[in-house]
Amino acid sequence: TACKFAGLSDISISEDIPVEGDISVPVGSQNPDDDFSTLDEPVKDTILRDLRAVGQKFVHVLYPKKSSALLKDWDLWGPLLLCVTLALMLQGGSADSGEDGRPQFAEVFVIIWFGSVIITLNSKLLGGTISFFQSLCVLGYCILPLTVAMIVCRIILLGALSSVSFVVRLIVVTASFCWSTFASTAFLADSQPANRKALVVYPVFLFYFVISWMILTFSPSP
Amino acid sequence: MSASQGSTNTNTEPWGSFDDNVIQGSGSAVIDMENMDDTSGSSFEDMGEIHQREEEEEEVTAEAAATEEDNGEYGEFLGMKGLKGQLGRQVADEVWQAGKRQASKAFNLYANIDILRPYFDVEPNQVRNRLVESLIPVRMINFPQKVAGELYGPMMLVFTMVAILLHGMKTSGTVIREGTLMGTAIGTCFGYWLGVSSFIYFLAYLCNAQITMLQMLSLLGYGLFSHCMVLFITYNVHFHSLFYILWLVIGGLSTIRMVAVLISRTVGQTPRLILCGTLAALHMLFLLYLHFAYHKMVEGILDTLEGPNIPPIQRVARDVPVVANAVVNATIKSIAAVVQSQ
């Protein structure tokens, strides 16, 4: 049949018409798994590899330098983990209060993701060069200091609920809020034109402020 | 039938389309087995098959996809084996490709955020200038004042107001109900901005004022700057008299500015009155509502929870008559003292 194909192609294509474009064989997805197949490795390997990537990005957030690891290999596992942890910890004690005592799980989730989407859209509309998911990745990972602050606040709240504890919690949350904002702007502001950095930083500041407010006003049910 | 199909062929390939006379029974998608000759590995009726399907696809997609189809045709030609099972997959794949192309075209047309990009083209000093100008009433109302049509400033102001409202709940010292208050705060602020803008735009349309929806959104959004400032101050300094003064002064300045801009773009006394009266009323009343209604709501929730044991005045210094009376009494006393000393 090869020679028949060749014969037909002689008839059908004239010399001066350039033949270009993709030639795809659309007969099912029979991609040979020769080079990069991760389907056959054990699940433990996959999980460990992903966890290692997530952990590496955590380190990049905690010591924000101008590295592009967060941007190049973006993933959304880390933000999901942090978001779920934060939302679970904001649930707190027992659900005995009749009213909506504290933010529901879905509320925290929606605020974090909806806020990240808004900030991403804003930075793209202002002429940013960062892609949608990269920005989501950076904003999600920079919630890490606030999650750590939440853990610390929970530990402090195991003790007495007094004004001293409030002041300590205020200091901790403020410090982690500044850390988060600084870390995320270190990644995000680079993708903006130079004179518009302030326009991008402000919504990030608001976003982390709202999350810090939720953390600071958390009080466990008696 | 072949000849008529040849004449209605809209897609003539550059190398000259296949002569349909060669293909028997090319009008349907079913292979006419009796016309298949021995060389069925790469038979001409399969080419006719492809040809027919290309024609149908041409009616679905735009002309711009013609070059793709040429290449796709070559690709299919190489992969075609002339069997029905693979034909079914071919057809399904072609339909999928066509549908995907259409969907991505529609998506690029409608969900393109570049539509909004010109409204966000601002510099930080421009935003700062407009924020300050929103409190300065314009003098000249004889010719239309320029209204900047941008959406960055208004959106950031709305989000800031949401944050300030939430902050106000915290500093009032009440047990926080983030769940209900967060959604309410966001809904209130965005509802005000979008709803009142639309309503005033509708009135402006009725009153023949020359203002576009974008300009109205921008104008009202920047008017929220006064609200943000007043609420930020009065949530931290709890004095009702201070709130009234700020409400009149700062709220009034921003209202006068918005009203002046609208007046400059409207002709006729009655339309001006209607439009500006409505805007002024809504703007000022909204600030009043934000200050009082939220506290009352929080206090109401508190009452149901903590019971009547704790007298209301101890929780939040929001008791209007007592504070106002105290201020009035102090003022009267001081005036009386001054008068008596003369």
Side-chain angles (χ1 to χ4, degrees):
Chain A
T1 50
C3 57
K4 291 199 175 77
F5 277 122
L8 274 172
S9 65
D10 276 347
I11 300 173
S12 50
I13 306 172
S14 74
E15 297 296 318
D16 46 295
I17 307 294
V19 178
E20 53 179 277
D22 317 334
I23 293 183
S24 59
V25 183
V27 192
S29 55
Q30 296 169 1
N31 296 322
D33 281 6
D34 45 1
D35 42 355
F36 187 56
S37 153
T38 57
L39 274 179
D40 298 330
E41 62 177 12
V43 175
K44 183 169 72 94
D45 280 354
T46 313
I47 293 182
L48 279 182
R49 188 180 62 235
D50 285 338
L51 276 180
R52 232 174 281 130
V54 167
Q56 195 186 21
K57 293 202 186 71
F58 279 170
V59 170
H60 275 288
V61 168
L62 285 178
Y63 301 106
K65 310 186 286 283
K66 293 238 183 325
S67 75
S68 58
L70 255 182
L71 291 179
K72 282 218 178 80
D73 316 312
W74 60 267
D75 74 274
L76 292 177
W77 280 116
L80 182 68
L81 273 176
L82 288 172
C83 182
V84 167
T85 313
L86 197 60
L88 281 176
M89 283 199 293
L90 278 172
Q91 291 300 304
S94 52
D96 56 357
S97 57
E99 306 278 335
D100 289 335
R102 39 197 59 82
Q104 307 293 316
F105 181 87
E107 194 120 14
V108 176
F109 219 82
V110 161
I111 286 171
I112 291 180
W113 289 102
F114 181 66
S116 304
V117 166
I118 295 279
I119 296 176
T120 309
L121 281 180
N122 176 58
S123 82
K124 281 186 83 73
L125 283 170
L126 285 172
T129 54
I130 201 170
S131 92
F132 184 75
F133 285 110
Q134 278 173 345
S135 172
L136 278 186
C137 168
V138 167
L139 287 167
Y141 270 106
C142 290
I143 296 181
L144 176 67
L146 286 169
T147 314
V148 169
M150 181 75 215
I151 297 175
V152 171
C153 283
R154 284 300 290 264
I155 295 175
I156 293 178
L157 281 171
L158 286 177
L161 186 72
S162 66
S163 60
V164 173
S165 82
F166 178 75
V167 168
V168 172
R169 280 188 295 138
L170 178 68
I171 295 174
V172 167
V173 170
T174 311
S176 65
F177 159 68
C178 296
W179 199 349
S180 286
T181 313
F182 173 68
S184 67
T185 54
F187 292 111
L188 281 181
D190 277 345
S191 66
Q192 290 292 326
N195 52 347
R196 300 222 179 144
K197 289 204 201 300
L199 296 182
V200 175
V201 168
Y202 180 69
V204 174
F205 166 86
L206 261 186
F207 174 62
Y208 288 128
F209 176 79
V210 170
I211 298 182
S212 318
W213 173 85
M214 282 198 294
I215 292 175
L216 189 59
T217 58
F218 172 78
S219 58
S221 59
Chain B
M1 188 170 68
S2 314
S4 64
Q5 277 172 349
S7 63
T8 55
N9 187 9
T10 55
N11 179 29
T12 35
E13 282 87 7
W15 40 268
S17 49
F18 276 103
D19 196 359
D20 280 346
N21 293 328
V22 178
I23 305 149
Q24 320 271 332
S26 63
S28 65
V30 177
I31 299 177
D32 201 357
M33 293 301 286
E34 68 181 8
N35 291 323
M36 208 191 282
D37 48 347
D38 294 332
T39 63
S40 61
S42 57
S43 52
F44 278 106
E45 52 261 51
D46 295 332
M47 292 313 299
E49 220 63 56
I50 299 169
H51 198 61
Q52 185 64 26
R53 223 179 299 125
E54 291 306 320
E55 277 185 340
E56 289 166 17
E57 195 183 349
E58 191 64 17
E59 297 167 46
V60 174
T61 60
E63 287 304 316
T67 49
E68 285 183 48
E69 284 165 7
D70 285 342
N71 302 324
E73 184 176 292
Y74 292 132
E76 287 161 16
F77 167 57
L78 285 178
M80 179 56 78
K81 294 290 185 286
L83 302 171
K84 260 194 186 147
Q86 288 193 348
L87 265 187
R89 267 202 294 259
Q90 286 288 102
V91 172
D93 201 56
E94 273 303 308
V95 168
W96 165 252
Q97 291 292 330
K100 203 164 79 155
R101 247 172 299 190
Q102 265 213 306
S104 69
K105 272 195 202 117
F107 181 76
N108 283 339
L109 188 63
Y110 293 116
N112 203 359
I113 63 167
D114 282 337
I115 297 174
L116 290 177
R117 204 179 278 269
Y119 307 141
F120 281 76
D121 190 16
V122 289
E123 306 290 318
N125 55 343
Q126 274 180 323
V127 176
R128 195 180 53 233
N129 290 342
R130 284 174 193 159
L131 282 176
V132 172
E133 275 170 9
S134 75
L135 290 177
I136 301 175
V138 290
R139 290 295 170 95
M140 293 190 281
I141 57 174
N142 293 325
F143 65 90
Q145 292 294 313
K146 183 174 160 317
V147 181
E150 59 138 321
L151 287 179
Y152 173 81
M155 278 204 57
M156 288 306 123
L157 279 169
V158 171
F159 281 121
T160 308
M161 202 158 78
V162 170
I164 290 176
L165 278 175
L166 297 172
H167 169 71
M169 298 307 112
K170 176 181 83 68
T171 56
S172 67
T174 56
V175 176
I176 303 299
R177 310 268 179 271
E178 291 107 314
T180 42
L181 288 184
M182 182 84 72
T184 314
I186 293 179
T188 307
C189 296
F190 267 100
Y192 170 77
W193 183 47
L194 295 172
V196 172
S197 287
S198 314
F199 180 63
I200 300 288
Y201 176 67
F202 168 68
L203 278 186
Y205 172 74
L206 290 180
C207 301
N208 238 354
Q210 293 184 353
I211 195 162
T212 65
M213 181 68 188
L214 172 72
Q215 286 172 332
M216 194 59 229
L217 280 172
S218 178
L219 192 64
L220 198 69
Y222 274 111
L224 285 177
F225 179 55
S226 66
H227 284 28
C228 286
M229 276 189 4
V230 173
L231 289 175
F232 184 65
I233 296 174
T234 55
Y235 279 149
N236 293 320
V237 182
H238 306 296
F239 280 123
H240 271 309
S241 54
L242 179 66
F243 168 72
Y244 285 127
I245 294 172
L246 286 177
W247 176 62
L248 281 176
V249 171
I250 301 185
L253 275 179
S254 127
T255 309
I256 291 174
R257 170 171 171 90
M258 287 199 298
V259 158
V261 170
L262 276 182
I263 284 181
S264 76
R265 288 168 171 260
T266 319
V267 272
Q269 283 295 97
T270 317
R272 281 177 172 181
L273 197 62
I274 295 174
L275 203 55
C276 303
T278 320
L279 179 61
L282 285 172
H283 198 240
M284 300 294 274
L285 287 177
F286 184 59
L287 185 52
L288 213 59
Y289 164 78
L290 280 181
H291 184 79
F292 287 111
Y294 262 110
H295 295 327
K296 285 285 182 288
M297 185 169 77
V298 170
E299 283 179 4
I301 293 174
L302 256 190
D303 276 335
T304 59
L305 268 197
E306 294 188 29
N309 297 333
I310 304 171
I313 195 157
Q314 275 186 5
R315 275 171 299 181
V316 174
R318 295 268 184 268
D319 208 354
V320 179
V322 172
V323 175
N325 278 342
V327 169
V328 167
N329 288 342
T331 320
I332 291 178
K333 277 187 196 135
S334 61
I335 293 176
V338 167
V339 167
Q340 273 178 357
S341 66
Q342 285 175 352

